[in-house]
Amino acid sequence: MSHILTRPESAVDAAAVTFDRVGKSFPAHHGAHVHEVLRDVTFTVRPGEIVSVLGPSGCGKSTLLRAVAGLGTASEGEVRIDDSVVREIDPRCAVGFQEPRLLPWRSVARNVALGLPHGTPAREGKQRVAQLLELVGLSHHANHRPAEISGGMAQRASLARALARNPRVLLLDEPFGALDALTRIRMQDLLLDVHRADPTTVLMVTHDVEEALVLSDHVVVLARETATGPATIAEIISPELARPRSREDSEITALRAHLLALLGVER
Amino acid sequence: MSTHDTSSAAPRSSDGASREAAGVTAVATLSDDAVKRSGASPAAAAPDDAAREPGSPAPANSRTRPGALRKSWAVGLIGLILPVLLVLVWHTFSTNGTFSPVQLPRPSAVLAAGWELLQSGDLWLHVGISTQRVIVGFLIGSGLGLLLGALLGLSPWARAIGSPTIGALRAVPSLAWVPLLLLWVGIGENSKVTLVAIGAFFPVYTTVSAALRHVDRHLIEAARSFGLRGVKLFTTVQLPAVLPSVISGLRLALAQAWLFLVAAELLGSSMGLGFLLTDSQNNGRTDRLLLAIVLLAVLGKLTDALLGVFERWTQRRWSVAGTR
Ligand SMILES: Nc1ncnc2c1ncn2[C@@H]1O[C@H](COP(=O)(O)OP(=O)(O)OP(=O)(O)O)[C@@H](O)[C@H]1O
Ligand SMILES: [Mg+2]
């Protein structure tokens, strides 16, 4: 990738994220009981690390990410960013949601601009948006509306919007889920490039075992013991390989087999 | 771990394993991208050249009409066919003896009646006072409707407090207020304007509060996660999202305003199109009666067209222009 995002003036240092016995329950739809989704999740993301969260659909990955952003606070335990407990929407985070969530009446460029930190001078903001659109391959669609671009393009626009924030903690919920194989690899490389230029803390949810292994310092695997019970950490895997990593690396393939077995896929 | 749930994740995790095999599709997708880049996207392909200034972004609502209807003058001409036919049928029935002149005067007689009123200056008086009542009443009613609709649409507290009462007031057939209005406000201008305002209030209030409650919560959450709050959040997400509903609420309100105007003027006035209606009925002047109806149709359409101009302005203001 030839373009590396220039580090904006407002760059800040990455923050640590600590999950301290985090549990989350939702009011159940019927009956007096609550629906317990997560229980006793404890781990720490050190500043500048990339951490992936893996787990079966519906196990609470998005819920965990939202707890960091302050969009749905933990019902048990606490999430801390550096040393402060997350209680409300936290300005140190930027979220790339599972769905693109673009404003339909705004152009792609103006949607990305929404992510810019407050008080960004107009000219600098414009430049940064153009740069980000270039990076995610949407320069030619800057003036299109979300309805006029494909799902994968919308997802890239949403990624660019989160990157525009230049956050201390970048939270990405399946950021590459809707992309074709080649674009997906390009976007993974882009994330690594951006991270190398500006090593912020990245916590991302993914369904792709290989993606998790190639990108992350740690892979957190969430699992449920019973079909309806709460999920908790089943294992944390830490591939100790320098990035960029080859997908064919023997350690990666070994870990992949292990993870797939852990997730219940017979090979 | 149970295999019950993990099975659903399996196909997605195996995506990575089959990546080599997906090489072919990836190339196909890229060339698809290239096609889009060359400007063949659906919106860019719809030539709306006349309406679009050079260099402006793709139109906000590129509704594609069938080919023959793309030119606006063609649409205008087609819209004229039915009125012309109506006048012809009217003329035929009024001259061939189907209806007596008292039941249905000829179109030309109606025109003559209009000319006569124009000469005496009464026409402007009636049209002017009616339009004034509608506009003042509409502005007051729809303004209050916007305010209360926004308040109750945005704040659950305000909704809990105010919604039942306003709902009950809306259930009162609005003409039931007339005797009270006459008692409290008197028979003058104010009671008529008030009645028009009541008529304009409810459509705006109802559409605005409902639309605000149904703005996509995901979008609001996304905007809040990017630090938008209060007024900024409102003008960035809620306002553009509800704008189409607000406009259709205003359109309904305007139609209601004319409805209530005529009701108010029929019930007691010495000027205005409603008065012209009763007065003509009492004097057997069917030509003037028809004239009043035609005038109401034309005025209603004209004021609605003004709202159309406002609609396009708001669309430009909130959905296309601006950098942030
Ligand atoms: N706002 C909410 N109210 C009630 N229940 C919720 C809410 N949000 C999530 N849940 C429940 O929490 C559980 C976990 O949801 P979550 O979205 O975190 O799953 P996920 O792991 O991200 O799944 P996926 O991989 O399919 O995105 C689900 O059973 C869901 O029904
Ligand atoms: Mg999810």
Side-chain angles (χ1 to χ4, degrees):
Chain A
M1 186 95 13
S2 51
H3 313 271
I4 303 269
L5 199 62
T6 49
R7 195 184 164 94
E9 309 284 311
S10 53
V12 280
D13 294 321
V17 180
T18 309
F19 295 84
D20 192 352
R21 285 171 291 111
V22 170
K24 179 76 182 178
S25 304
F26 290 105
H29 289 293
H30 34 76
H33 292 287
V34 292
H35 177 198
E36 192 178 4
V37 175
L38 290 169
R39 180 188 287 177
D40 207 17
V41 175
T42 302
F43 72 100
T44 301
V45 186
R46 283 190 288 270
E49 280 185 337
I50 302 180
V51 170
S52 294
V53 179
L54 272 179
S57 180
C59 75
K61 303 182 295 298
S62 300
T63 305
L64 196 65
L65 221 57
R66 293 168 55 84
V68 183
L71 293 170
T73 45
S75 9
E76 306 284 331
E78 58 190 29
V79 179
R80 290 190 296 272
I81 297 181
D82 282 343
D83 288 325
S84 56
V85 179
V86 176
R87 295 187 200 285
E88 51 190 20
I89 291 181
D90 200 293
R92 292 169 290 187
C93 300
V95 191
F97 292 93
Q98 193 164 353
E99 324 79 31
R101 301 197 185 183
L102 302 173
L103 302 179
W105 51 85
R106 281 190 174 213
S107 67
V108 169
R110 292 193 62 229
N111 264 292
V112 173
L114 205 65
L116 291 169
H118 288 295
T120 310
R123 169 175 290 188
E124 190 188 316
K126 233 182 179 147
Q127 235 173 350
R128 192 167 163 77
V129 168
Q131 217 172 12
L132 282 163
L133 287 176
E134 175 85 45
L135 279 174
V136 298
L138 287 176
S139 310
H140 298 273
H141 298 85
N143 290 325
H144 284 57
R145 271 158 222 279
E148 298 163 356
I149 60 177
S150 72
M153 291 157 109
Q155 201 171 32
R156 281 182 274 154
S158 160
L159 174 66
R161 180 177 62 183
L163 290 175
R165 180 121 283 221
N166 190 44
R168 303 178 66 176
V169 180
L170 181 60
L171 303 166
L172 300 175
D173 200 342
E174 298 189 36
F176 313 125
L179 304 181
D180 66 88
L182 186 59
T183 314
R184 180 185 292 215
I185 294 176
R186 287 216 316 254
M187 290 300 112
Q188 292 168 357
D189 291 344
L190 160 70
L191 183 65
L192 289 182
D193 281 340
V194 169
H195 184 261
R196 193 169 342 102
D198 192 2
T200 185
T201 307
V202 180
L203 185 61
M204 64 181 272
V205 170
T206 177
H207 276 287
D208 184 339
V209 171
E210 203 177 52
E211 176 174 284
L213 287 171
V214 166
L215 296 180
S216 352
D217 295 300
H218 307 286
V219 181
V220 175
V221 183
L222 292 181
R224 285 182 288 222
E225 257 141 42
T226 60
T228 52
T232 191
I233 297 181
E235 193 164 335
I236 299 183
I237 289 174
S238 310
E240 310 228 329
L241 290 167
R243 283 183 293 250
R245 298 169 185 163
S246 156
R247 286 161 177 84
E248 280 79 43
D249 188 283
S250 60
E251 188 178 339
I252 298 285
T253 45
L255 286 174
R256 187 175 76 195
H258 173 70
L259 274 178
L260 288 175
L262 196 61
L263 290 167
V265 181
E266 306 296 338
R267 304 221 86 214
Chain B
M1 186 192 309
S2 86
T3 47
H4 170 77
D5 285 290
T6 44
S7 60
S8 59
R12 286 170 94 176
S13 339
S14 64
D15 269 356
S18 61
R19 183 171 280 164
E20 287 79 19
V24 183
T25 36
V27 172
T29 325
L30 267 195
S31 60
D32 181 43
D33 233 23
V35 170
K36 288 200 181 107
R37 219 161 273 174
S38 69
S41 75
D48 218 327
D49 307 358
R52 208 191 309 171
E53 302 101 333
S56 76
N61 45 353
S62 45
R63 279 179 230 122
T64 37
R65 296 198 198 93
L69 289 183
R70 208 168 280 157
K71 295 269 188 295
S72 56
W73 58 264
V75 178
L77 277 187
I78 290 175
L80 277 180
I81 294 177
L82 218 49
V84 170
L85 269 180
L86 263 177
V87 172
L88 283 179
V89 170
W90 172 7
H91 181 81
T92 315
F93 279 132
S94 58
T95 45
N96 70 2
T98 315
F99 294 102
S100 72
V102 178
Q103 283 175 311
L104 187 69
R106 278 172 293 127
S108 54
V110 173
L111 267 185
W115 180 247
E116 182 194 337
L117 280 177
L118 191 67
Q119 298 258 295
S120 69
D122 283 353
L123 189 68
W124 289 128
L125 190 70
H126 294 313
V127 167
I129 193 73
S130 286
T131 312
Q132 179 188 318
R133 287 164 180 161
V134 161
I135 289 179
V136 175
F138 170 75
L139 287 179
I140 294 173
S142 60
L144 284 175
L146 279 174
L147 269 180
L148 279 178
L151 187 67
L152 272 72
L154 287 173
S155 151
W157 273 104
R159 186 153 64 244
I161 294 170
S163 167
T165 311
I166 300 184
L169 287 178
R170 190 178 57 176
V172 178
S174 307
L175 292 184
W177 295 110
V178 170
L180 264 189
L181 281 179
L182 293 182
L183 197 64
W184 291 344
V185 195
I187 203 162
E189 273 318 284
N190 290 348
S191 64
K192 295 179 188 67
V193 170
T194 310
L195 196 63
V196 171
I198 291 175
F201 172 81
F202 285 108
V204 177
Y205 161 77
T206 314
T207 46
V208 170
S209 63
L212 277 173
R213 259 180 295 145
H214 294 119
V215 175
D216 187 349
R217 296 231 302 287
H218 275 176
L219 290 184
I220 296 177
E221 189 184 71
R224 282 184 356 111
S225 85
F226 284 107
L228 296 186
R229 269 182 286 120
V231 176
K232 184 84 192 157
L233 179 68
F234 180 75
T235 54
T236 310
V237 184
Q238 279 111 335
L239 183 61
V242 302
L243 214 50
S245 319
V246 171
I247 300 282
S248 58
L250 287 175
R251 288 218 143 119
L252 275 175
L254 188 63
Q256 284 256 73
W258 281 104
L259 179 74
F260 280 71
L261 167 90
V262 174
E265 288 181 345
L266 280 176
L267 290 171
S269 63
S270 52
M271 286 181 292
L273 291 169
F275 166 76
L276 186 63
L277 281 170
T278 33
D279 190 52
S280 313
Q281 187 194 16
N282 294 339
N283 297 322
R285 291 292 303 262
T286 321
D287 50 348
R288 285 190 178 178
L289 224 153
L290 279 166
L291 176 75
I293 286 171
V294 170
L295 281 175
L296 282 170
V298 170
L299 285 173
K301 190 80 191 86
L302 270 181
T303 44
D304 190 64
L306 278 180
L307 261 187
V309 173
F310 174 69
E311 176 177 14
R312 279 188 291 281
W313 175 78
T314 55
Q315 277 171 353
R316 272 201 308 279
R317 172 71 182 74
W318 275 288
S319 14
V320 184
T323 49
R324 230 211 113 138

